[in-house]
Amino acid sequence: MTSQTQTSKVAIVTGASGGIGAAIAERLARDGFTVVVNYAGNAAPAEALVARIEAAGGRAVTAQADISNADAVRRMFDSAETAFGGVDVLINNAGIMNLATIAESDDALFDRQIAVNLKGTFNTLREAAKRLRDGGRIVNFSSSVVGMLQPGYGVYAATKAAVEAMTSILAKELRGRNITVNAVAPGPTATKLFLDGKPQEVIDRLAKLAPLERLGQPEDSAATVAFLVGPDGAWINGQTLRANGGII
């Protein structure tokens, strides 16, 4: 049974309409959080997710916002505060990945990943730093490519390395408010973002990289987030957890 204290908490999950974000939203709803399901453009998957959560006895609402737009992020926080009285948890899951060597990366590839992965995370962190209720939790999403440093991931890995830096710095800046700030860095995970465009032999090879010899599942990342925002994660702060099955 979920405690009354936890059931009153409100969590914004960015990029929550599919993949890891949807798994996080469903897990937090099961754990008793009211979940704000953020999506950028396509409302249908987000609305379907909210329907599933509510059918299972949880509480959730959709919130359209392109996180690269600071005004849209501000409005999303405004709406959550109006509807629920405040926000306790921010999960920065939204992100995009476009791969190319550094030599072949054009300006559009660079600018879009910076806009969503880095500026978007900054936009939500800035609002959360001002507005999260004391005792809250922030979980950013990095990637294990920051440690693996594979060719073709230069721009993407750079955005995620910057997210890790901001994670540790914001944890220190929020001293005195009992708010933890951490990051989760998944390895290869069986999501549309990861699987699209990859031949099966490549997927099979990547699945064997971790000593546990499988791809991560969205639920693996969701369980890590649930730990960090739950009572057992209260002493973890300013850290990046590489939830990747031991790949690095």
Side-chain angles (χ1 to χ4, degrees), residues 1-25:
M1 180 177 292
T2 307
S3 70
Q4 183 61 39
T5 300
Q6 194 167 342
T7 56
S8 67
K9 291 185 177 178
V10 177
I12 293 175
V13 183
T14 69
S17 59
I20 290 173
I24 292 168

PDB file of all heavy atoms in Angstrom, residues 1-25:
ATOM      1  N   MET A   1       0.853  -1.197   0.000  1.00  0.00           N
ATOM      2  CA  MET A   1       0.000   0.000   0.000  1.00  0.00           C
ATOM      3  C   MET A   1       0.884   1.241   0.000  1.00  0.00           C
ATOM      4  O   MET A   1       1.886   1.292   0.701  1.00  0.00           O
ATOM      5  CB  MET A   1      -0.914  -0.003   1.231  1.00  0.00           C
ATOM      6  CG  MET A   1      -1.829   1.218   1.305  1.00  0.00           C
ATOM      7  SD  MET A   1      -2.964   1.163   2.707  1.00  0.00           S
ATOM      8  CE  MET A   1      -3.999  -0.193   2.221  1.00  0.00           C
ATOM      9  N   THR A   2       0.510   2.218  -0.799  1.00  0.00           N
ATOM     10  CA  THR A   2       1.296   3.445  -0.903  1.00  0.00           C
ATOM     11  C   THR A   2       0.918   4.391   0.224  1.00  0.00           C
ATOM     12  O   THR A   2      -0.238   4.531   0.579  1.00  0.00           O
ATOM     13  CB  THR A   2       1.018   4.130  -2.249  1.00  0.00           C
ATOM     14  OG1 THR A   2       1.236   3.187  -3.295  1.00  0.00           O
ATOM     15  CG2 THR A   2       1.952   5.295  -2.465  1.00  0.00           C
ATOM     16  N   SER A   3       1.927   5.061   0.797  1.00  0.00           N
ATOM     17  CA  SER A   3       1.664   5.979   1.898  1.00  0.00           C
ATOM     18  C   SER A   3       0.926   7.213   1.401  1.00  0.00           C
ATOM     19  O   SER A   3       1.036   7.611   0.243  1.00  0.00           O
ATOM     20  CB  SER A   3       2.981   6.404   2.552  1.00  0.00           C
ATOM     21  OG  SER A   3       3.693   7.246   1.688  1.00  0.00           O
ATOM     22  N   GLN A   4       0.183   7.852   2.295  1.00  0.00           N
ATOM     23  CA  GLN A   4      -0.550   9.062   1.928  1.00  0.00           C
ATOM     24  C   GLN A   4       0.400  10.168   1.502  1.00  0.00           C
ATOM     25  O   GLN A   4       0.108  10.943   0.606  1.00  0.00           O
ATOM     26  CB  GLN A   4      -1.395   9.530   3.121  1.00  0.00           C
ATOM     27  CG  GLN A   4      -2.260  10.745   2.814  1.00  0.00           C
ATOM     28  CD  GLN A   4      -3.262  10.481   1.703  1.00  0.00           C
ATOM     29  OE1 GLN A   4      -3.830   9.398   1.643  1.00  0.00           O
ATOM     30  NE2 GLN A   4      -3.444  11.435   0.808  1.00  0.00           N
ATOM     31  N   THR A   5       1.574  10.218   2.136  1.00  0.00           N
ATOM     32  CA  THR A   5       2.546  11.246   1.767  1.00  0.00           C
ATOM     33  C   THR A   5       2.956  11.091   0.315  1.00  0.00           C
ATOM     34  O   THR A   5       2.995  12.043  -0.458  1.00  0.00           O
ATOM     35  CB  THR A   5       3.782  11.162   2.670  1.00  0.00           C
ATOM     36  OG1 THR A   5       3.384  11.362   4.016  1.00  0.00           O
ATOM     37  CG2 THR A   5       4.791  12.219   2.286  1.00  0.00           C
ATOM     38  N   GLN A   6       3.242   9.861  -0.096  1.00  0.00           N
ATOM     39  CA  GLN A   6       3.703   9.638  -1.459  1.00  0.00           C
ATOM     40  C   GLN A   6       2.582   9.865  -2.471  1.00  0.00           C
ATOM     41  O   GLN A   6       2.808  10.371  -3.555  1.00  0.00           O
ATOM     42  CB  GLN A   6       4.265   8.221  -1.603  1.00  0.00           C
ATOM     43  CG  GLN A   6       5.059   8.036  -2.896  1.00  0.00           C
ATOM     44  CD  GLN A   6       5.862   6.770  -2.913  1.00  0.00           C
ATOM     45  OE1 GLN A   6       6.111   6.164  -1.881  1.00  0.00           O
ATOM     46  NE2 GLN A   6       6.290   6.352  -4.074  1.00  0.00           N
ATOM     47  N   THR A   7       1.356   9.497  -2.134  1.00  0.00           N
ATOM     48  CA  THR A   7       0.281   9.644  -3.108  1.00  0.00           C
ATOM     49  C   THR A   7      -0.008  11.104  -3.425  1.00  0.00           C
ATOM     50  O   THR A   7      -0.618  11.400  -4.435  1.00  0.00           O
ATOM     51  CB  THR A   7      -1.029   8.979  -2.612  1.00  0.00           C
ATOM     52  OG1 THR A   7      -1.378   9.534  -1.342  1.00  0.00           O
ATOM     53  CG2 THR A   7      -0.877   7.493  -2.497  1.00  0.00           C
ATOM     54  N   SER A   8       0.424  12.026  -2.558  1.00  0.00           N
ATOM     55  CA  SER A   8       0.175  13.437  -2.808  1.00  0.00           C
ATOM     56  C   SER A   8       1.244  14.059  -3.700  1.00  0.00           C
ATOM     57  O   SER A   8       1.142  15.231  -4.060  1.00  0.00           O
ATOM     58  CB  SER A   8       0.124  14.203  -1.480  1.00  0.00           C
ATOM     59  OG  SER A   8       1.392  14.219  -0.869  1.00  0.00           O
ATOM     60  N   LYS A   9       2.259  13.303  -4.080  1.00  0.00           N
ATOM     61  CA  LYS A   9       3.368  13.863  -4.841  1.00  0.00           C
ATOM     62  C   LYS A   9       3.083  13.863  -6.336  1.00  0.00           C
ATOM     63  O   LYS A   9       2.446  12.967  -6.874  1.00  0.00           O
ATOM     64  CB  LYS A   9       4.653  13.102  -4.534  1.00  0.00           C
ATOM     65  CG  LYS A   9       5.134  13.343  -3.106  1.00  0.00           C
ATOM     66  CD  LYS A   9       6.472  12.692  -2.853  1.00  0.00           C
ATOM     67  CE  LYS A   9       6.955  13.020  -1.437  1.00  0.00           C
ATOM     68  NZ  LYS A   9       8.238  12.370  -1.118  1.00  0.00           N
ATOM     69  N   VAL A  10       3.615  14.893  -7.001  1.00  0.00           N
ATOM     70  CA  VAL A  10       3.360  15.125  -8.428  1.00  0.00           C
ATOM     71  C   VAL A  10       4.679  15.024  -9.188  1.00  0.00           C
ATOM     72  O   VAL A  10       5.675  15.659  -8.813  1.00  0.00           O
ATOM     73  CB  VAL A  10       2.732  16.514  -8.644  1.00  0.00           C
ATOM     74  CG1 VAL A  10       2.536  16.787 -10.131  1.00  0.00           C
ATOM     75  CG2 VAL A  10       1.410  16.627  -7.885  1.00  0.00           C
ATOM     76  N   ALA A  11       4.688  14.227 -10.259  1.00  0.00           N
ATOM     77  CA  ALA A  11       5.899  14.010 -11.052  1.00  0.00           C
ATOM     78  C   ALA A  11       5.663  14.401 -12.497  1.00  0.00           C
ATOM     79  O   ALA A  11       4.705  13.926 -13.124  1.00  0.00           O
ATOM     80  CB  ALA A  11       6.337  12.555 -10.976  1.00  0.00           C
ATOM     81  N   ILE A  12       6.526  15.259 -13.033  1.00  0.00           N
ATOM     82  CA  ILE A  12       6.541  15.550 -14.471  1.00  0.00           C
ATOM     83  C   ILE A  12       7.559  14.622 -15.126  1.00  0.00           C
ATOM     84  O   ILE A  12       8.716  14.561 -14.704  1.00  0.00           O
ATOM     85  CB  ILE A  12       6.929  17.012 -14.743  1.00  0.00           C
ATOM     86  CG1 ILE A  12       5.842  17.967 -14.227  1.00  0.00           C
ATOM     87  CG2 ILE A  12       7.163  17.240 -16.239  1.00  0.00           C
ATOM     88  CD1 ILE A  12       6.215  19.443 -14.357  1.00  0.00           C
ATOM     89  N   VAL A  13       7.114  13.900 -16.152  1.00  0.00           N
ATOM     90  CA  VAL A  13       8.014  13.027 -16.917  1.00  0.00           C
ATOM     91  C   VAL A  13       8.036  13.543 -18.349  1.00  0.00           C
ATOM     92  O   VAL A  13       7.014  13.516 -19.048  1.00  0.00           O
ATOM     93  CB  VAL A  13       7.546  11.557 -16.883  1.00  0.00           C
ATOM     94  CG1 VAL A  13       8.548  10.676 -17.632  1.00  0.00           C
ATOM     95  CG2 VAL A  13       7.367  11.067 -15.447  1.00  0.00           C
ATOM     96  N   THR A  14       9.184  14.034 -18.808  1.00  0.00           N
ATOM     97  CA  THR A  14       9.272  14.550 -20.173  1.00  0.00           C
ATOM     98  C   THR A  14       9.470  13.409 -21.160  1.00  0.00           C
ATOM     99  O   THR A  14      10.047  12.372 -20.831  1.00  0.00           O
ATOM    100  CB  THR A  14      10.397  15.585 -20.327  1.00  0.00           C
ATOM    101  OG1 THR A  14      11.668  14.946 -20.197  1.00  0.00           O
ATOM    102  CG2 THR A  14      10.269  16.693 -19.285  1.00  0.00           C
ATOM    103  N   GLY A  15       8.963  13.615 -22.372  1.00  0.00           N
ATOM    104  CA  GLY A  15       9.083  12.579 -23.396  1.00  0.00           C
ATOM    105  C   GLY A  15       8.472  11.268 -22.959  1.00  0.00           C
ATOM    106  O   GLY A  15       9.033  10.197 -23.190  1.00  0.00           O
ATOM    107  N   ALA A  16       7.280  11.350 -22.349  1.00  0.00           N
ATOM    108  CA  ALA A  16       6.723  10.186 -21.650  1.00  0.00           C
ATOM    109  C   ALA A  16       5.736   9.375 -22.470  1.00  0.00           C
ATOM    110  O   ALA A  16       5.160   8.429 -21.958  1.00  0.00           O
ATOM    111  CB  ALA A  16       6.043  10.643 -20.356  1.00  0.00           C
ATOM    112  N   SER A  17       5.541   9.716 -23.739  1.00  0.00           N
ATOM    113  CA  SER A  17       4.490   9.036 -24.491  1.00  0.00           C
ATOM    114  C   SER A  17       4.898   7.657 -25.002  1.00  0.00           C
ATOM    115  O   SER A  17       4.053   6.884 -25.448  1.00  0.00           O
ATOM    116  CB  SER A  17       4.023   9.907 -25.659  1.00  0.00           C
ATOM    117  OG  SER A  17       5.086  10.201 -26.528  1.00  0.00           O
ATOM    118  N   GLY A  18       6.190   7.322 -24.932  1.00  0.00           N
ATOM    119  CA  GLY A  18       6.631   6.013 -25.405  1.00  0.00           C
ATOM    120  C   GLY A  18       7.970   5.627 -24.812  1.00  0.00           C
ATOM    121  O   GLY A  18       8.624   6.419 -24.133  1.00  0.00           O
ATOM    122  N   GLY A  19       8.390   4.398 -25.066  1.00  0.00           N
ATOM    123  CA  GLY A  19       9.707   3.932 -24.669  1.00  0.00           C
ATOM    124  C   GLY A  19       9.950   4.000 -23.174  1.00  0.00           C
ATOM    125  O   GLY A  19       9.087   3.665 -22.360  1.00  0.00           O
ATOM    126  N   ILE A  20      11.158   4.444 -22.808  1.00  0.00           N
ATOM    127  CA  ILE A  20      11.542   4.520 -21.402  1.00  0.00           C
ATOM    128  C   ILE A  20      10.632   5.484 -20.645  1.00  0.00           C
ATOM    129  O   ILE A  20      10.226   5.214 -19.509  1.00  0.00           O
ATOM    130  CB  ILE A  20      13.019   4.939 -21.279  1.00  0.00           C
ATOM    131  CG1 ILE A  20      13.937   3.805 -21.768  1.00  0.00           C
ATOM    132  CG2 ILE A  20      13.365   5.306 -19.833  1.00  0.00           C
ATOM    133  CD1 ILE A  20      15.406   4.180 -21.838  1.00  0.00           C
ATOM    134  N   GLY A  21      10.271   6.605 -21.269  1.00  0.00           N
ATOM    135  CA  GLY A  21       9.428   7.589 -20.597  1.00  0.00           C
ATOM    136  C   GLY A  21       8.081   7.021 -20.194  1.00  0.00           C
ATOM    137  O   GLY A  21       7.585   7.273 -19.086  1.00  0.00           O
ATOM    138  N   ALA A  22       7.462   6.246 -21.087  1.00  0.00           N
ATOM    139  CA  ALA A  22       6.165   5.642 -20.781  1.00  0.00           C
ATOM    140  C   ALA A  22       6.298   4.634 -19.648  1.00  0.00           C
ATOM    141  O   ALA A  22       5.432   4.565 -18.760  1.00  0.00           O
ATOM    142  CB  ALA A  22       5.589   4.977 -22.024  1.00  0.00           C
ATOM    143  N   ALA A  23       7.378   3.853 -19.659  1.00  0.00           N
ATOM    144  CA  ALA A  23       7.595   2.881 -18.580  1.00  0.00           C
ATOM    145  C   ALA A  23       7.774   3.588 -17.241  1.00  0.00           C
ATOM    146  O   ALA A  23       7.277   3.131 -16.205  1.00  0.00           O
ATOM    147  CB  ALA A  23       8.816   2.013 -18.897  1.00  0.00           C
ATOM    148  N   ILE A  24       8.483   4.723 -17.259  1.00  0.00           N
ATOM    149  CA  ILE A  24       8.664   5.506 -16.025  1.00  0.00           C
ATOM    150  C   ILE A  24       7.319   6.037 -15.531  1.00  0.00           C
ATOM    151  O   ILE A  24       6.993   5.948 -14.340  1.00  0.00           O
ATOM    152  CB  ILE A  24       9.644   6.665 -16.262  1.00  0.00           C
ATOM    153  CG1 ILE A  24      11.047   6.137 -16.513  1.00  0.00           C
ATOM    154  CG2 ILE A  24       9.646   7.624 -15.068  1.00  0.00           C
ATOM    155  CD1 ILE A  24      12.008   7.182 -17.048  1.00  0.00           C
ATOM    156  N   ALA A  25       6.528   6.600 -16.442  1.00  0.00           N
ATOM    157  CA  ALA A  25       5.231   7.152 -16.057  1.00  0.00           C
ATOM    158  C   ALA A  25       4.350   6.080 -15.427  1.00  0.00           C
ATOM    159  O   ALA A  25       3.711   6.314 -14.390  1.00  0.00           O
ATOM    160  CB  ALA A  25       4.543   7.766 -17.276  1.00  0.00           C
TER     161      ALA A  25
END
